[in-house]
Amino acid sequence: PEMLGLANRHGEVLPIIDLRLVFKVPAAPISVATLFIVAEVKERRIGVVVDEVFQVKYITEGALKPTHGAGRYVTHIVGDGESLFQLLDVTPLLQTYLPTR
């Protein structure tokens, strides 16, 4: 159920995953206005549904703080002085929801 289907992004067919369902949170309604970001690992791409995109931040590797016991997908936490952000590893998502080549 986490795999919503496929989307055509600039001629490339992308599988679309809803992270709400991956993390066992009730799904939001899907419409033509639904946003997704594209994640890539070793030339394999996946679309990930997001609620909003506030901004893109570039962070240094030194700002990443490893986290333990946060589950299969959350690997690090980073703070910007006001907020904390969780860094997701999309590799397990790709391994779980996409067939191997």
Coordinates of all heavy atoms in Angstrom, one line a residue:
P1 N 0.8 -1.2 0.0 CA 0.0 0.0 0.0 C 0.8 1.3 0.0 O 0.4 2.3 -0.4 CB -0.8 -0.1 1.3 CG -0.2 -1.1 2.1 CD 0.6 -2.0 1.2
E2 N 2.1 1.2 0.4 CA 3.0 2.4 0.4 C 3.3 2.8 -1.0 O 3.6 4.0 -1.2 CB 4.3 2.1 1.2 CG 4.1 1.8 2.6 CD 3.9 0.3 2.9 OE1 3.7 -0.5 1.9 OE2 3.8 -0.1 4.0
M3 N 3.3 1.9 -1.9 CA 3.6 2.2 -3.3 C 2.3 2.7 -4.0 O 1.4 2.0 -4.2 CB 4.1 1.0 -4.1 CG 4.3 1.2 -5.5 SD 5.9 1.9 -5.8 CE 6.9 0.5 -6.2
L4 N 2.3 4.0 -4.3 CA 1.1 4.7 -4.8 C 0.9 4.4 -6.3 O -0.2 4.5 -6.8 CB 1.1 6.2 -4.5 CG 1.2 6.6 -3.0 CD1 1.2 8.1 -2.9 CD2 0.0 6.0 -2.2
G5 N 2.0 4.2 -7.0 CA 1.9 4.0 -8.4 C 3.1 4.6 -9.1 O 4.1 4.7 -8.5
L6 N 2.9 5.0 -10.3 CA 4.0 5.5 -11.1 C 3.7 6.9 -11.6 O 2.5 7.2 -11.8 CB 4.2 4.6 -12.4 CG 4.5 3.1 -12.1 CD1 4.5 2.3 -13.3 CD2 5.9 3.0 -11.3
A7 N 4.7 7.7 -11.8 CA 4.5 9.1 -12.3 C 5.5 9.3 -13.4 O 6.6 8.7 -13.4 CB 4.8 10.1 -11.2
N8 N 5.1 10.0 -14.4 CA 5.9 10.4 -15.5 C 6.6 11.8 -15.2 O 5.9 12.8 -15.1 CB 5.1 10.5 -16.8 CG 6.0 10.9 -18.0 OD1 7.1 11.4 -17.9 ND2 5.4 10.6 -19.2
R9 N 7.9 11.7 -15.0 CA 8.6 13.0 -14.7 C 9.6 13.2 -15.8 O 10.6 12.5 -15.8 CB 9.3 12.9 -13.3 CG 10.0 14.1 -13.0 CD 10.8 14.0 -11.6 NE 11.7 15.1 -11.4 CZ 12.9 15.2 -11.8 NH1 13.5 14.1 -12.4 NH2 13.7 16.2 -11.6
H10 N 9.3 14.2 -16.6 CA 10.1 14.5 -17.7 C 10.5 13.3 -18.6 O 11.6 13.1 -19.0 CB 11.4 15.2 -17.3 CG 11.2 16.4 -16.4 ND1 10.6 17.5 -16.8 CD2 11.5 16.6 -15.1 CE1 10.5 18.4 -15.9 NE2 11.0 17.9 -14.8
G11 N 9.5 12.4 -18.8 CA 9.7 11.2 -19.6 C 10.3 10.0 -18.9 O 10.4 9.0 -19.5
E12 N 10.6 10.2 -17.6 CA 11.1 9.1 -16.8 C 10.0 8.6 -15.9 O 9.3 9.3 -15.3 CB 12.3 9.5 -16.0 CG 12.8 8.4 -15.1 CD 14.0 8.9 -14.2 OE1 14.2 10.1 -14.1 OE2 14.6 8.0 -13.6
V13 N 9.8 7.3 -15.9 CA 8.8 6.7 -15.1 C 9.3 6.4 -13.7 O 10.3 5.7 -13.6 CB 8.2 5.3 -15.7 CG1 7.2 4.7 -14.8 CG2 7.7 5.6 -17.1
L14 N 8.7 7.0 -12.7 CA 9.2 6.9 -11.3 C 8.1 6.2 -10.5 O 6.9 6.6 -10.5 CB 9.4 8.3 -10.7 CG 10.6 9.1 -11.2 CD1 10.6 10.5 -10.5 CD2 11.9 8.4 -10.9
P15 N 8.5 5.2 -9.7 CA 7.6 4.7 -8.6 C 7.4 5.8 -7.6 O 8.4 6.5 -7.2 CB 8.3 3.5 -8.1 CG 9.7 3.6 -8.5 CD 9.8 4.5 -9.7
I16 N 6.2 5.9 -7.0 CA 5.9 6.9 -6.0 C 5.6 6.2 -4.7 O 4.7 5.4 -4.7 CB 4.8 7.8 -6.4 CG1 5.0 8.5 -7.8 CG2 4.5 8.9 -5.4 CD1 6.2 9.5 -7.8
I17 N 6.3 6.6 -3.6 CA 6.1 6.0 -2.3 C 5.6 7.1 -1.4 O 6.0 8.2 -1.4 CB 7.5 5.5 -1.8 CG1 8.1 4.5 -2.7 CG2 7.3 5.0 -0.3 CD1 7.4 3.2 -2.8
D18 N 4.6 6.7 -0.5 CA 4.1 7.6 0.5 C 4.7 7.2 1.8 O 4.5 6.2 2.4 CB 2.6 7.4 0.6 CG 1.9 8.5 1.5 OD1 2.6 9.1 2.3 OD2 0.7 8.7 1.3
L19 N 5.6 8.1 2.3 CA 6.3 7.9 3.6 C 5.4 7.8 4.8 O 5.7 7.2 5.8 CB 7.4 8.9 3.8 CG 8.7 8.7 2.9 CD1 9.7 9.8 3.3 CD2 9.3 7.4 3.1
R20 N 4.2 8.5 4.7 CA 3.3 8.4 5.8 C 2.9 7.0 6.0 O 2.9 6.5 7.2 CB 2.0 9.2 5.5 CG 2.2 10.7 5.5 CD 0.9 11.4 5.1 NE 1.0 12.8 5.2 CZ 0.4 13.5 6.2 NH1 -0.2 12.9 7.2 NH2 0.5 14.8 6.3
L21 N 2.7 6.2 5.0 CA 2.3 4.8 5.1 C 3.5 4.0 5.5 O 3.3 3.0 6.3 CB 1.7 4.3 3.8 CG 0.4 5.0 3.4 CD1 -0.1 4.6 2.0 CD2 -0.7 4.8 4.4
V22 N 4.7 4.3 5.1 CA 5.9 3.6 5.5 C 6.0 3.7 7.0 O 6.4 2.7 7.7 CB 7.1 4.1 4.8 CG1 8.4 3.5 5.4 CG2 7.1 3.8 3.3
F23 N 5.8 4.9 7.5 CA 5.9 5.1 9.0 C 4.7 4.9 9.8 O 4.6 5.3 10.9 CB 6.5 6.5 9.2 CG 7.9 6.7 8.7 CD1 8.2 7.6 7.7 CD2 8.9 5.9 9.2 CE1 9.5 7.7 7.3 CE2 10.2 6.0 8.8 CZ 10.5 6.9 7.8
K24 N 3.7 4.3 9.1 CA 2.4 3.9 9.8 C 1.6 5.1 10.3 O 1.0 5.1 11.4 CB 2.7 2.9 11.0 CG 3.5 1.7 10.6 CD 2.8 0.8 9.6 CE 3.6 -0.4 9.4 NZ 3.8 -0.8 8.0
V25 N 1.6 6.2 9.5 CA 0.8 7.4 9.8 C -0.3 7.4 8.7 O -0.1 7.1 7.6 CB 1.7 8.6 9.7 CG1 0.9 9.9 9.8 CG2 2.9 8.6 10.7
P26 N -1.5 7.9 9.1 CA -2.6 7.9 8.1 C -2.2 8.8 6.9 O -1.6 9.8 7.0 CB -3.7 8.6 8.9 CG -3.4 8.3 10.3 CD -1.9 8.3 10.4
A27 N -2.5 8.3 5.8 CA -2.2 9.0 4.5 C -3.1 10.2 4.3 O -4.2 10.2 4.7 CB -2.4 8.0 3.3
A28 N -2.5 11.2 3.6 CA -3.2 12.4 3.2 C -3.9 12.1 1.9 O -3.4 11.2 1.1 CB -2.3 13.6 3.1
P29 N -4.9 12.7 1.5 CA -5.5 12.5 0.2 C -4.6 12.9 -0.9 O -3.8 13.8 -0.8 CB -6.7 13.5 0.2 CG -7.0 13.8 1.6 CD -5.7 13.7 2.3
I30 N -4.6 12.1 -2.0 CA -3.7 12.3 -3.1 C -4.5 13.0 -4.2 O -5.6 12.6 -4.5 CB -3.1 11.0 -3.7 CG1 -2.4 10.2 -2.6 CG2 -2.3 11.2 -4.9 CD1 -1.2 10.9 -2.0
S31 N -3.9 14.0 -4.8 CA -4.6 14.8 -5.9 C -3.5 15.2 -6.9 O -2.3 14.9 -6.7 CB -5.3 16.0 -5.3 OG -4.3 17.0 -5.0
V32 N -3.9 15.9 -7.9 CA -3.0 16.4 -8.9 C -2.0 17.4 -8.3 O -1.0 17.7 -8.9 CB -3.7 17.0 -10.2 CG1 -4.4 15.9 -10.9 CG2 -4.6 18.1 -9.8
A33 N -2.4 18.0 -7.2 CA -1.5 19.0 -6.5 C -0.5 18.3 -5.5 O 0.3 19.0 -4.9 CB -2.4 20.0 -5.8
T34 N -0.6 17.0 -5.4 CA 0.3 16.3 -4.5 C 1.8 16.5 -4.9 O 2.1 16.4 -6.1 CB 0.0 14.8 -4.4 OG1 -1.3 14.7 -3.9 CG2 0.9 14.1 -3.5
L35 N 2.6 16.9 -4.0 CA 4.1 17.1 -4.3 C 4.9 15.9 -4.0 O 4.5 15.1 -3.1 CB 4.6 18.2 -3.4 CG 4.0 19.6 -3.5 CD1 4.5 20.5 -2.5 CD2 4.2 20.1 -4.9
F36 N 5.9 15.7 -4.7 CA 6.9 14.6 -4.4 C 8.3 15.1 -4.8 O 8.5 16.0 -5.6 CB 6.6 13.3 -5.1 CG 6.7 13.3 -6.6 CD1 7.9 12.9 -7.2 CD2 5.6 13.6 -7.4 CE1 8.0 12.9 -8.6 CE2 5.7 13.6 -8.8 CZ 7.0 13.2 -9.4
I37 N 9.3 14.6 -4.1 CA 10.7 14.8 -4.4 C 11.3 13.6 -5.0 O 10.7 12.5 -4.8 CB 11.5 15.3 -3.1 CG1 11.4 14.2 -2.0 CG2 10.9 16.6 -2.6 CD1 12.3 14.5 -0.9
V38 N 12.3 13.7 -5.7 CA 13.0 12.6 -6.3 C 14.3 12.3 -5.5 O 15.1 13.2 -5.3 CB 13.3 12.9 -7.8 CG1 14.1 11.7 -8.4 CG2 12.1 13.2 -8.6
A39 N 14.4 11.1 -5.1 CA 15.6 10.6 -4.3 C 16.3 9.6 -5.3 O 15.7 8.9 -6.0 CB 15.2 9.9 -3.0
E40 N 17.6 9.7 -5.2 CA 18.4 8.8 -6.1 C 19.6 8.2 -5.3 O 20.2 8.8 -4.5 CB 19.0 9.7 -7.2 CG 19.9 8.9 -8.1 CD 20.4 9.8 -9.3 OE1 20.4 11.0 -9.2 OE2 20.9 9.2 -10.2
V41 N 19.8 6.9 -5.6 CA 20.9 6.2 -5.0 C 21.4 5.3 -6.2 O 20.7 4.5 -6.7 CB 20.5 5.2 -3.9 CG1 21.7 4.4 -3.4 CG2 20.0 6.1 -2.7
K42 N 22.7 5.6 -6.6 CA 23.3 4.8 -7.6 C 22.4 4.6 -8.9 O 22.2 3.5 -9.3 CB 23.7 3.4 -7.1 CG 24.8 3.5 -6.0 CD 25.2 2.1 -5.5 CE 26.2 2.2 -4.4 NZ 26.6 1.0 -3.9
E43 N 22.0 5.8 -9.4 CA 21.2 5.8 -10.6 C 19.8 5.2 -10.5 O 19.1 5.0 -11.5 CB 22.0 5.2 -11.8 CG 23.2 6.0 -12.1 CD 24.0 5.4 -13.3 OE1 23.4 4.7 -14.1 OE2 25.2 5.7 -13.5
R44 N 19.4 4.8 -9.3 CA 18.0 4.3 -9.1 C 17.2 5.5 -8.5 O 17.7 6.0 -7.5 CB 18.0 3.1 -8.3 CG 18.7 1.9 -8.9 CD 18.7 0.7 -8.1 NE 17.4 0.1 -8.0 CZ 17.0 -0.7 -7.0 NH1 17.9 -1.1 -6.1 NH2 15.8 -1.1 -6.9
R45 N 16.1 5.8 -9.0 CA 15.3 6.9 -8.5 C 14.0 6.5 -8.1 O 13.4 5.5 -8.6 CB 15.1 8.0 -9.7 CG 16.4 8.7 -10.0 CD 16.2 9.7 -11.1 NE 17.4 10.2 -11.6 CZ 18.1 9.7 -12.6 NH1 17.6 8.6 -13.3 NH2 19.2 10.2 -13.0
I46 N 13.5 7.3 -7.1 CA 12.1 7.0 -6.5 C 11.5 8.3 -6.2 O 12.2 9.3 -5.8 CB 12.3 6.1 -5.3 CG1 10.9 5.5 -4.8 CG2 13.0 6.8 -4.1 CD1 11.1 4.4 -3.8
G47 N 10.2 8.4 -6.3 CA 9.5 9.6 -5.9 C 9.0 9.4 -4.5 O 8.4 8.4 -4.2
V48 N 9.1 10.4 -3.7 CA 8.7 10.4 -2.3 C 7.7 11.5 -2.1 O 8.0 12.7 -2.2 CB 9.9 10.5 -1.3 CG1 9.4 10.4 0.1 CG2 10.9 9.4 -1.6
V49 N 6.5 11.1 -1.7 CA 5.4 12.1 -1.4 C 5.8 13.0 -0.2 O 6.3 12.5 0.8 CB 4.1 11.5 -1.2 CG1 3.0 12.5 -0.8 CG2 3.6 10.8 -2.5
V50 N 5.7 14.3 -0.4 CA 6.0 15.2 0.7 C 4.8 16.2 0.9 O 4.0 16.4 0.0 CB 7.2 16.1 0.5 CG1 8.5 15.2 0.4 CG2 7.1 16.9 -0.8
D51 N 4.6 16.7 2.1 CA 3.5 17.6 2.4 C 3.8 19.0 1.9 O 3.0 19.7 1.3 CB 3.3 17.7 3.9 CG 2.7 16.4 4.5 OD1 2.1 15.7 3.8 OD2 3.0 16.2 5.7
E52 N 5.1 19.4 2.1 CA 5.5 20.8 1.7 C 7.0 20.7 1.4 O 7.7 19.9 2.0 CB 5.2 21.8 2.7 CG 3.8 22.1 3.0 CD 3.6 23.2 4.0 OE1 3.9 24.4 3.6 OE2 3.3 22.9 5.2
V53 N 7.5 21.7 0.7 CA 8.9 21.9 0.6 C 9.1 23.4 1.0 O 8.7 24.3 0.3 CB 9.5 21.7 -0.9 CG1 10.9 22.0 -1.0 CG2 9.2 20.3 -1.3
F54 N 9.8 23.6 2.1 CA 10.0 24.9 2.6 C 11.2 25.6 2.0 O 11.2 26.7 1.6 CB 10.2 24.9 4.2 CG 8.9 24.5 4.9 CD1 8.9 23.3 5.5 CD2 7.8 25.3 5.0 CE1 7.7 22.9 6.2 CE2 6.7 25.0 5.7 CZ 6.7 23.7 6.3
Q55 N 12.3 24.8 2.0 CA 13.5 25.3 1.3 C 14.5 24.1 1.2 O 14.3 23.1 1.8 CB 14.1 26.4 2.2 CG 14.7 26.0 3.5 CD 15.2 27.1 4.3 OE1 14.4 27.8 5.0 NE2 16.5 27.4 4.3
V56 N 15.5 24.3 0.4 CA 16.6 23.4 0.3 C 17.7 23.9 1.1 O 18.1 25.0 1.0 CB 17.0 23.2 -1.2 CG1 18.2 22.3 -1.3 CG2 15.8 22.7 -2.0
K57 N 18.3 23.0 2.0 CA 19.4 23.4 2.8 C 20.6 22.5 2.5 O 20.5 21.3 2.3 CB 19.1 23.2 4.3 CG 18.1 24.2 4.8 CD 18.0 24.0 6.4 CE 17.4 25.3 6.9 NZ 18.2 25.8 8.0
Y58 N 21.7 23.2 2.5 CA 23.0 22.4 2.3 C 23.7 22.4 3.6 O 23.8 23.4 4.3 CB 23.9 23.1 1.2 CG 23.2 23.1 -0.1 CD1 22.4 24.2 -0.6 CD2 23.4 22.0 -1.0 CE1 21.8 24.1 -1.8 CE2 22.9 22.0 -2.2 CZ 22.1 23.0 -2.6 OH 21.5 23.0 -3.9
I59 N 24.1 21.2 4.0 CA 24.7 21.0 5.3 C 26.1 20.4 5.2 O 26.3 19.7 4.2 CB 23.8 20.2 6.3 CG1 23.5 18.8 5.6 CG2 22.5 20.9 6.6 CD1 22.8 17.9 6.5
T60 N 26.9 20.6 6.1 CA 28.2 20.0 6.1 C 28.1 18.7 6.7 O 27.3 18.4 7.6 CB 29.3 20.9 6.8 OG1 28.9 20.9 8.2 CG2 29.4 22.3 6.2
E61 N 29.0 17.8 6.3 CA 29.0 16.4 6.9 C 29.3 16.5 8.4 O 28.7 15.7 9.2 CB 30.1 15.6 6.2 CG 30.0 14.1 6.5 CD 30.9 13.3 5.6 OE1 31.2 13.7 4.5 OE2 31.3 12.2 6.1
G62 N 30.0 17.5 8.9 CA 30.3 17.6 10.3 C 29.1 18.0 11.1 O 29.1 17.8 12.3
A63 N 28.1 18.5 10.5 CA 26.9 18.9 11.2 C 26.0 17.7 11.5 O 25.0 17.8 12.3 CB 26.1 19.9 10.4
L64 N 26.2 16.6 10.8 CA 25.4 15.4 11.0 C 25.7 14.7 12.3 O 26.9 14.4 12.6 CB 25.6 14.4 9.9 CG 25.2 14.9 8.5 CD1 25.6 13.9 7.4 CD2 23.7 15.1 8.4
K65 N 24.7 14.4 13.1 CA 24.8 13.6 14.3 C 24.2 12.3 14.2 O 23.0 12.2 13.9 CB 24.2 14.4 15.5 CG 24.7 15.8 15.7 CD 26.1 15.9 16.0 CE 26.5 17.3 16.2 NZ 27.8 17.6 15.8
P66 N 24.9 11.2 14.3 CA 24.3 9.9 14.1 C 23.3 9.6 15.2 O 23.4 10.1 16.3 CB 25.5 8.9 14.2 CG 26.6 9.6 14.7 CD 26.3 11.1 14.6
T67 N 22.3 8.9 14.8 CA 21.2 8.5 15.8 C 21.1 7.0 15.8 O 21.3 6.3 14.8 CB 19.9 9.1 15.4 OG1 18.9 8.8 16.4 CG2 19.4 8.7 14.1
H68 N 20.8 6.4 17.0 CA 20.7 5.0 17.1 C 19.3 4.7 17.6 O 18.8 5.4 18.5 CB 21.8 4.5 18.1 CG 23.2 4.9 17.7 ND1 23.8 4.3 16.6 CD2 24.0 5.8 18.1 CE1 25.0 4.8 16.4 NE2 25.2 5.8 17.4
G69 N 18.8 3.6 17.1 CA 17.5 3.2 17.6 C 16.3 4.0 17.0 O 15.2 3.9 17.5
A70 N 16.5 4.7 16.0 CA 15.5 5.5 15.4 C 14.8 4.8 14.2 O 13.9 5.4 13.6 CB 16.0 6.9 14.8
G71 N 15.1 3.5 14.0 CA 14.4 2.8 13.0 C 15.3 2.5 11.8 O 16.5 2.9 11.8
R72 N 14.7 1.9 10.8 CA 15.5 1.5 9.6 C 15.9 2.6 8.7 O 16.8 2.5 8.0 CB 14.6 0.5 8.9 CG 15.2 -0.1 7.7 CD 14.3 -1.2 7.1 NE 14.9 -1.8 5.9 CZ 14.3 -2.5 5.0 NH1 13.0 -2.7 5.2 NH2 14.9 -2.9 4.0
Y73 N 15.1 3.7 8.7 CA 15.3 4.7 7.7 C 16.0 6.0 8.2 O 16.6 6.7 7.4 CB 14.0 5.1 7.0 CG 13.2 3.9 6.4 CD1 12.1 3.4 7.0 CD2 13.7 3.3 5.3 CE1 11.4 2.3 6.5 CE2 13.1 2.2 4.8 CZ 11.9 1.7 5.3 OH 11.3 0.6 4.8
V74 N 15.8 6.4 9.4 CA 16.4 7.6 10.0 C 17.9 7.3 10.4 O 18.1 6.4 11.3 CB 15.6 8.1 11.2 CG1 16.3 9.4 11.7 CG2 14.2 8.5 10.7
T75 N 18.8 8.0 9.8 CA 20.2 7.7 10.1 C 20.9 8.8 10.9 O 21.8 8.5 11.7 CB 21.0 7.4 8.8 OG1 21.0 8.6 8.0 CG2 20.5 6.2 8.1
H76 N 20.5 10.0 10.7 CA 21.2 11.1 11.4 C 20.2 12.2 11.7 O 19.1 12.3 11.2 CB 22.3 11.8 10.4 CG 23.4 10.9 10.2 ND1 23.4 9.9 9.2 CD2 24.7 10.8 10.7 CE1 24.5 9.3 9.2 NE2 25.3 9.8 10.1
I77 N 20.6 13.1 12.6 CA 19.8 14.3 13.0 C 20.8 15.4 12.8 O 22.0 15.4 13.1 CB 19.4 14.2 14.4 CG1 18.4 13.0 14.6 CG2 18.7 15.5 14.9 CD1 17.9 12.8 16.0
V78 N 20.2 16.5 12.3 CA 21.0 17.7 12.1 C 20.2 18.9 12.6 O 18.9 18.9 12.4 CB 21.4 17.9 10.6 CG1 20.2 18.1 9.7 CG2 22.4 19.1 10.4
G79 N 20.8 19.9 13.2 CA 20.1 21.0 13.7 C 20.7 22.3 13.1 O 21.8 22.4 12.7
D80 N 19.8 23.3 13.0 CA 20.2 24.6 12.4 C 20.2 25.7 13.5 O 20.1 26.9 13.1 CB 19.4 24.9 11.2 CG 18.0 25.2 11.5 OD1 17.5 25.1 12.7 OD2 17.2 25.6 10.6
G81 N 20.1 25.3 14.7 CA 20.0 26.3 15.8 C 18.6 26.5 16.3 O 18.4 26.9 17.4
E82 N 17.6 26.4 15.4 CA 16.2 26.5 15.8 C 15.4 25.3 15.7 O 14.5 25.0 16.4 CB 15.6 27.6 14.9 CG 16.2 29.0 15.0 CD 15.5 29.9 14.0 OE1 14.4 29.7 13.6 OE2 16.1 31.0 13.8
S83 N 15.8 24.4 14.8 CA 15.0 23.2 14.5 C 15.9 22.0 14.4 O 17.1 22.1 14.1 CB 14.2 23.3 13.2 OG 13.3 24.4 13.3
L84 N 15.4 20.8 14.6 CA 16.1 19.5 14.3 C 15.4 18.9 13.1 O 14.2 18.9 12.9 CB 16.0 18.6 15.5 CG 16.8 19.0 16.7 CD1 16.5 18.0 17.9 CD2 18.2 19.1 16.5
F85 N 16.3 18.3 12.3 CA 15.8 17.6 11.1 C 16.3 16.2 11.1 O 17.4 15.9 11.5 CB 16.3 18.3 9.8 CG 15.9 19.7 9.7 CD1 16.8 20.7 10.2 CD2 14.7 20.1 9.2 CE1 16.4 22.0 10.1 CE2 14.3 21.4 9.2 CZ 15.2 22.4 9.6
Q86 N 15.5 15.2 10.6 CA 15.9 13.8 10.5 C 16.4 13.6 9.1 O 15.7 14.0 8.1 CB 14.8 12.9 10.8 CG 14.3 13.1 12.3 CD 13.1 12.2 12.5 OE1 12.4 11.7 11.6 NE2 12.8 11.9 13.8
L87 N 17.5 12.9 9.0 CA 18.0 12.5 7.7 C 17.6 11.1 7.4 O 17.9 10.2 8.2 CB 19.6 12.7 7.6 CG 20.2 12.3 6.3 CD1 19.9 13.3 5.3 CD2 21.7 12.3 6.5
L88 N 16.9 10.9 6.2 CA 16.5 9.6 5.9 C 17.5 8.9 4.9 O 17.9 9.6 4.0 CB 15.1 9.7 5.2 CG 14.0 10.2 6.0 CD1 12.7 10.3 5.2 CD2 13.7 9.4 7.2
D89 N 17.7 7.7 5.1 CA 18.5 6.9 4.1 C 17.5 6.2 3.2 O 16.7 5.4 3.6 CB 19.3 5.8 4.9 CG 20.1 5.0 4.0 OD1 20.2 5.2 2.7 OD2 20.8 4.1 4.5
V90 N 17.5 6.6 1.9 CA 16.6 6.1 0.9 C 17.0 4.7 0.4 O 16.2 4.1 -0.3 CB 16.3 7.1 -0.2 CG1 15.6 8.4 0.3 CG2 17.6 7.4 -1.0
T91 N 18.2 4.3 0.7 CA 18.6 3.0 0.2 C 17.7 1.9 0.6 O 17.3 1.1 -0.2 CB 20.1 2.7 0.6 OG1 20.9 3.8 0.1 CG2 20.6 1.4 0.0
P92 N 17.3 1.8 1.9 CA 16.4 0.7 2.3 C 15.0 0.8 1.6 O 14.4 -0.2 1.3 CB 16.2 0.8 3.8 CG 17.3 1.7 4.2 CD 17.8 2.5 3.1
L93 N 14.6 2.1 1.3 CA 13.3 2.3 0.6 C 13.4 1.7 -0.8 O 12.5 1.0 -1.3 CB 13.0 3.7 0.5 CG 12.4 4.4 1.7 CD1 12.3 5.9 1.5 CD2 11.0 3.8 2.0
L94 N 14.5 2.0 -1.5 CA 14.8 1.4 -2.8 C 14.8 -0.1 -2.8 O 14.3 -0.7 -3.7 CB 16.0 2.0 -3.4 CG 16.0 3.5 -3.8 CD1 17.3 4.0 -4.1 CD2 15.0 3.7 -4.9
Q95 N 15.5 -0.6 -1.8 CA 15.6 -2.1 -1.7 C 14.3 -2.7 -1.4 O 14.0 -3.8 -1.9 CB 16.6 -2.5 -0.6 CG 18.0 -2.1 -1.0 CD 19.0 -2.3 0.1 OE1 18.6 -2.4 1.3 NE2 20.3 -2.3 -0.2
T96 N 13.4 -2.1 -0.7 CA 12.2 -2.7 -0.3 C 11.1 -2.6 -1.4 O 10.4 -3.5 -1.6 CB 11.6 -2.0 1.0 OG1 12.6 -2.1 2.0 CG2 10.3 -2.6 1.4
Y97 N 11.1 -1.4 -2.0 CA 10.0 -1.1 -3.0 C 10.3 -1.2 -4.4 O 9.4 -1.2 -5.3 CB 9.4 0.2 -2.6 CG 8.8 0.3 -1.3 CD1 9.4 0.9 -0.2 CD2 7.6 -0.4 -1.0 CE1 8.9 0.9 1.1 CE2 7.0 -0.4 0.3 CZ 7.7 0.2 1.3 OH 7.2 0.2 2.6
L98 N 11.6 -1.3 -4.8 CA 11.9 -1.4 -6.2 C 12.6 -2.8 -6.5 O 13.4 -3.2 -5.7 CB 12.9 -0.3 -6.6 CG 12.3 1.1 -6.5 CD1 13.3 2.1 -7.0 CD2 11.0 1.3 -7.3
P99 N 12.3 -3.4 -7.6 CA 13.0 -4.6 -7.9 C 14.4 -4.4 -8.2 O 14.8 -3.3 -8.7 CB 12.2 -5.1 -9.1 CG 11.6 -3.9 -9.7 CD 11.3 -3.0 -8.6
T100 N 15.3 -5.3 -8.0 CA 16.7 -5.2 -8.3 C 16.8 -5.3 -9.8 O 16.1 -6.0 -10.5 CB 17.5 -6.2 -7.6 OG1 17.1 -7.5 -7.9 CG2 17.5 -6.0 -6.1
R101 N 17.8 -4.7 -10.3 CA 18.1 -4.8 -11.8 C 18.9 -5.9 -12.2 O 19.7 -6.4 -11.5 CB 18.7 -3.5 -12.3 CG 17.8 -2.3 -12.2 CD 18.4 -1.1 -12.8 NE 17.5 0.0 -12.7 CZ 17.8 1.2 -12.9 NH1 19.1 1.5 -13.2 NH2 16.9 2.2 -12.9

